[in-house]
């Protein structure tokens, strides 16, 4: 089956996963120290206005933001190998995405190249609205966090017994979190709202001025 062969692909440990580039904190302090107090207030008001409410982004911004949440989901699809094969509704939900997932997984460095593109072309580009940059950064942080279950799975790879049960539970939890994040993040963006994912939202905030 196409679904089974796709999920059996072993996800290589990419260089990207160790390349979580932290935004230098001194840049923020340097920036705000050079802006007049009144300008700071206006800037903060503008950022708040761009980050809240249903009118915070136009249609292209909403679409771009919604698409970025497919990145961590495609990168972590292999964690659904137990859930997808057991639940037909999830198979039906993911079936239309298989061609895109195949393209994503077709080259080992696709994930790394997309990571670089999203981070340096979108997140670090002031020509994009903060709405787009924040959502893109959330997707990146979510993907970077996949290094932890990946390392755990590589170091702890039981064949049967309680260890296998725990591994199946871990993989299924990671996959369901990615699926919920995709649905919640993309649907919120399409509605013009700001999704704030647990664990990753604050980290994304620190990376986006």
């Amino acid at each position: 089956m196409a679904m089974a062969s796709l999920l059996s692909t072993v996800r290589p440990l990419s260089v990207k996963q160790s390349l979580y580039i932290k935004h230098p904190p001194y840049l923020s302090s340097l920036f705000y120290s050079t802006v007049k107090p009144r300008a700071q207030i206006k800037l903060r008001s503008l950022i708040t206005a761009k980050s809240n409410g249903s009118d915070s982004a136009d249609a292209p911004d909403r679409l771009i933001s919604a698409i970025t949440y497919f990145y961590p989901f495609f990168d972590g699809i292999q964690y659904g190998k137990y859930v997808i094969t057991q639940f037909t509704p999830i198979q039906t939900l993911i079936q239309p995405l298989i061609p895109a997932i195949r393209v994503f997984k077709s080259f080992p460095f696709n994930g790394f190249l997309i990571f670089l593109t999203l981070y340096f072309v979108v997140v670090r580009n002031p020509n994009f609205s903060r709405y787009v940059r924040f959502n893109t950064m959330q997707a990146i942080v979510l993907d970077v966090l996949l290094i932890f279950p990946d390392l755990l799975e590589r170091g702890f790879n039981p064949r049967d017994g309680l260890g296998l049960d725990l591994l199946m539970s871990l993989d299924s939890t990671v996959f369901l979190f990615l699926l919920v994040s995709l649905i919640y993040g993309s649907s919120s963006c399409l509605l013009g709202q700001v999704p704030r994912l647990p664990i990753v939202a604050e980290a994304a905030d620190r990376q986006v001025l």
Side-chain angles (χ1 to χ4, degrees):
M1 293 177 59
M3 182 75 70
S5 61
L6 179 64
L7 293 175
S8 64
T9 303
V10 178
R11 178 172 179 263
L13 184 61
S14 64
V15 181
K16 166 216 63 180
Q17 294 174 325
S18 59
L19 191 64
Y20 181 62
I21 305 173
K22 185 175 181 180
H23 175 57
Y26 66 85
L27 290 182
S28 296
S29 59
L30 178 61
F31 174 79
Y32 282 104
S33 65
T34 57
V35 181
K36 294 181 180 180
R38 184 175 299 178
Q40 292 182 24
I41 295 175
K42 290 182 179 179
L43 176 62
R44 290 170 183 167
S45 300
L46 176 62
I47 291 176
T48 302
K50 292 290 289 182
S51 301
N52 295 282
S54 59
D55 298 326
S56 60
D58 55 19
D61 285 352
R62 297 181 188 187
L63 182 60
I64 294 172
S65 299
I67 292 175
T68 60
Y69 287 100
F70 285 90
Y71 167 51
F73 181 75
F74 286 178
D75 206 17
I77 187 67
Q78 68 277 358
Y79 293 109
K81 56 183 174 290
Y82 302 114
V83 175
I84 295 175
T85 54
Q86 293 179 13
F87 297 96
T88 303
I90 296 182
Q91 293 182 23
T92 305
L93 181 65
I94 294 177
Q95 192 69 35
L97 301 177
I98 287 183
I101 296 173
R102 285 190 177 278
V103 172
F104 183 91
K105 296 289 188 180
S106 62
F107 182 63
F109 292 102
N110 276 346
F112 179 57
L113 295 176
I114 293 175
F115 166 78
L116 293 178
T117 301
L118 292 178
Y119 188 82
F120 290 106
V121 177
V122 179
V123 175
R124 290 304 184 197
N125 188 348
N127 292 326
F128 285 98
S129 68
R130 187 184 189 278
Y131 185 86
V132 172
R133 292 185 289 122
F134 171 76
N135 283 290
T136 302
M137 193 65 222
Q138 271 204 136
I140 291 175
V141 174
L142 182 58
D143 184 71
V144 170
L145 290 178
L146 292 178
I147 188 176
F148 296 108
D150 184 65
L151 290 176
L152 183 60
E153 188 172 282
R154 288 172 181 269
F156 178 68
N157 192 20
R159 300 297 180 183
D160 52 25
L162 179 60
L164 181 59
D165 291 338
L166 292 175
L167 182 62
M168 292 173 62
S169 298
L170 173 65
D171 283 1
S172 299
T173 301
V174 171
F175 172 77
L176 290 175
F177 183 71
L178 291 173
L179 180 61
V180 170
S181 297
L182 170 63
I183 296 173
Y184 168 63
S186 295
S187 60
S188 296
C189 289
L190 292 176
L191 294 174
Q193 300 173 353
V194 181
R196 294 191 63 85
L197 301 177
I199 304 174
V200 304
E202 292 185 4
D205 268 330
R206 289 195 294 267
Q207 295 290 322
V208 181
L209 288 175

